[in-house]
Amino acid sequence: MGVPTKRVDLWQPYMNLPQGGKVMAEYIWIDGTGGMRCKTMTLPGKVSDVKELKEWNFDGSSTKQAPGHDSDVFLRPCAIFPDPFRGGDNILVLCACYFPDGTPATNNHRHLCEKNMNLAKQHEPWFGLEQEYTLFDSDGQPYGWPKGGFPAPQGPYYCGVGTGKVFARDFIEAHYRACLYAGIKISGINAEVMPAQWEFQVGPCEGIEMGDHLWMARFLLLRIGEEWGITPSFHPKPLTEGEWNGAGCHTNYSTNETRAEGGIKAIHEYIEKLSKRHLQHIEVYGEDNEKRLTGKHETASATTFTAGVSDRGASIRIPRSVDIEGKGYLEDRRPASNIDPYRVCSVMVETTLIL
Ligand code: ADP
Ligand code: MN
Ligand code: MN
Ligand code: MN
Ligand code: MN
């Protein structure tokens, strides 16, 4: 199955029409199930700062965020990005959800994250997230896999090149370019170990920006998927039968202490603190993550905490280059692909800098 045919000849003339000076703002938010939603507002003209945007609202009873008898949920604009779909002055607006009384709505983990980032500001926490994900076709099968069968075992697919080794490269390239256009700090992409599984990296980002940029990159992935008939999945273990890798969201983390000369000392101090709060971290490191953290397929076990230099079977890996230079960052390999990055960044800062 290929790209679904869109009648580009019919559609294109409309897309070439001028907008009469108006701007389309796509308000985007996280719903009650951890999925994403969006709707569009016409603005009178170009906007250059998120503060110029109005709050909006939506029917929370249709997104598992509010009961029907009191259904209004408010959308507070948090960050704006150029819109790669509509182009021009049109924008994407990432929002946080609030109940009418001003308390954070269901799944608004940005609220607490921002508080913690403000408390930790002087440490300048940087994050780099490695978002792994799996592509599915409209029949619910991994994209490009033989119908009713399986591809050859894992081996040639990670960073693969060549027919039969790479799946949906055109789609991945489209997403990469859209992220760059939108100003997302995407730092790279690679094909993963399981065929039809990919990774993009976002970062380094400081503080709250990490969650904002990762969520927006996910939105673009889901949205572009519509055009290919592809459903990206963030499930940490999309296939439980057979020897197929799961999907994670490795969290690379540093502060001005770890990045300074001799920062490896601070890295070891952070690891010591992290070892004492393993379960509190696992709690927010993604649903169904225990299906992935088996101790096999380049993962550590969900129940024990380990750390090591260059060890891809550990909970925390110190990259070899960081150990040699004696400063830099650590990699937490435990977070699953379906994490809320606001929660993960928040608990990381809480454990290492606040508590
Ligand atoms: P891996 O070898 O684990 O596959 P990747 O190259 O996929 O690593 O990802 C490494 C990530 O680490 C990138 O997203 C990058 O932005 C991030 N990173 C690099 N330096 C730092 C740093 N000092 N602090 C936080 N993140 C960093
Ligand atoms: Mn209506
Ligand atoms: Mn990686
Ligand atoms: Mn990876
Ligand atoms: Mn990694």
Side-chain angles (χ1 to χ4, degrees):
M1 70 140 273
V3 177
T5 42
K6 173 152 75 176
R7 287 293 302 273
V8 174
D9 54 335
L10 293 179
W11 177 74
Q12 195 59 55
Y14 297 95
M15 293 304 110
N16 292 340
L17 294 174
Q19 290 179 213
K22 301 284 198 289
V23 165
M24 287 178 265
E26 190 75 26
Y27 278 55
I28 298 163
W29 70 96
I30 300 152
D31 74 13
T33 69
M36 301 192 83
R37 309 270 177 150
C38 59
K39 63 175 186 166
T40 316
M41 180 195 280
T42 306
L43 306 178
K46 187 178 157 85
V47 161
S48 48
D49 192 307
V50 69
K51 293 191 193 79
E52 297 171 54
L53 289 165
K54 282 192 289 206
E55 277 198 13
W56 205 7
N57 57 62
F58 65 93
D59 167 15
S61 72
S62 299
T63 64
K64 293 204 161 55
Q65 281 162 297
H69 64 268
D70 186 11
S71 65
D72 278 359
V73 176
F74 289 90
L75 289 170
R76 275 192 209 159
C78 297
I80 57 175
F81 301 82
D83 182 342
F85 306 106
R86 294 173 170 140
D89 291 333
N90 302 304
I91 52 172
L92 305 176
V93 184
L94 186 70
C95 300
C97 297
Y98 285 86
F99 291 126
D101 67 1
T103 57
T106 319
N107 273 345
N108 175 358
H109 299 293
R110 192 182 191 280
H111 185 82
L112 176 63
C113 184
E114 197 173 29
K115 269 193 181 167
N116 281 336
M117 291 306 161
N118 285 333
L119 289 174
K121 218 185 188 88
Q122 72 276 20
H123 300 277
E124 295 171 31
W126 292 6
F127 302 92
L129 297 190
E130 303 170 47
Q131 175 70 68
E132 294 181 342
Y133 57 98
T134 313
L135 304 179
F136 284 86
D137 66 21
S138 50
D139 298 332
Q141 216 182 275
Y143 192 83
W145 284 30
K147 285 290 163 202
F150 292 92
Q154 292 183 166
Y157 308 111
Y158 170 73
C159 299
V161 56
T163 301
K165 295 177 188 161
V166 167
F167 298 72
R169 199 190 285 282
D170 53 354
F171 166 73
I172 266 56
E173 287 290 317
H175 174 254
Y176 197 173
R177 189 67 70 97
C179 283
L180 290 174
Y181 177 88
I184 289 164
K185 292 185 177 173
I186 185 166
S187 47
I189 61 165
N190 61 266
E192 268 305 333
V193 175
M194 173 180 143
Q197 204 171 75
W198 289 81
E199 170 179 315
F200 61 81
Q201 301 99 30
V202 179
C205 289
E206 186 167 334
I208 198 73
E209 181 184 64
M210 183 68 252
D212 292 348
H213 280 226
L214 191 77
W215 274 112
M216 194 50 81
R218 285 176 175 176
F219 174 81
L220 297 183
L221 195 73
L222 296 169
R223 171 67 182 75
I224 297 167
E226 292 173 12
E227 290 162 25
W228 261 258
I230 284 177
T231 306
S233 163
F234 297 108
H235 196 280
K237 196 74 182 180
L239 298 187
T240 44
E241 308 265 302
E243 296 298 312
W244 306 107
N245 273 29
C249 194
H250 297 165
T251 299
N252 300 278
Y253 174 59
S254 68
T255 63
N256 51 21
E257 287 85 7
T258 70
R259 293 187 296 268
E261 271 327 297
I264 192 81
K265 190 165 168 283
I267 291 177
H268 285 296
E269 283 164 16
Y270 291 176
I271 290 173
E272 178 63 20
K273 290 178 175 179
L274 288 164
S275 74
K276 296 193 172 118
R277 296 191 84 222
H278 179 62
L279 293 179
Q280 289 93 328
H281 279 247
I282 289 291
E283 191 88 39
V284 296
Y285 277 8
E287 237 174 276
D288 291 320
N289 199 19
E290 69 286 348
K291 298 196 174 82
R292 164 182 165 262
L293 292 181
T294 56
K296 284 175 70 188
H297 302 113
E298 299 178 61
T299 69
S301 143
T303 51
T304 50
F305 180 92
T306 54
V309 175
S310 192
D311 184 354
R312 285 172 198 269
S315 315
I316 306 282
R317 175 177 69 106
I318 299 173
R320 177 67 67 194
S321 60
V322 170
D323 193 52
I324 290 170
E325 284 184 45
K327 62 176 180 188
Y329 64 98
L330 60 81
E331 178 191 44
D332 191 340
R333 300 177 59 81
R334 295 170 295 174
S337 44
N338 60 355
I339 51 160
D340 185 326
Y342 295 129
R343 297 184 92 175
V344 171
C345 294
S346 185
V347 75
M348 187 63 93
V349 154
E350 192 179 86
T351 298
T352 61
L353 302 174
I354 297 174
L355 290 182

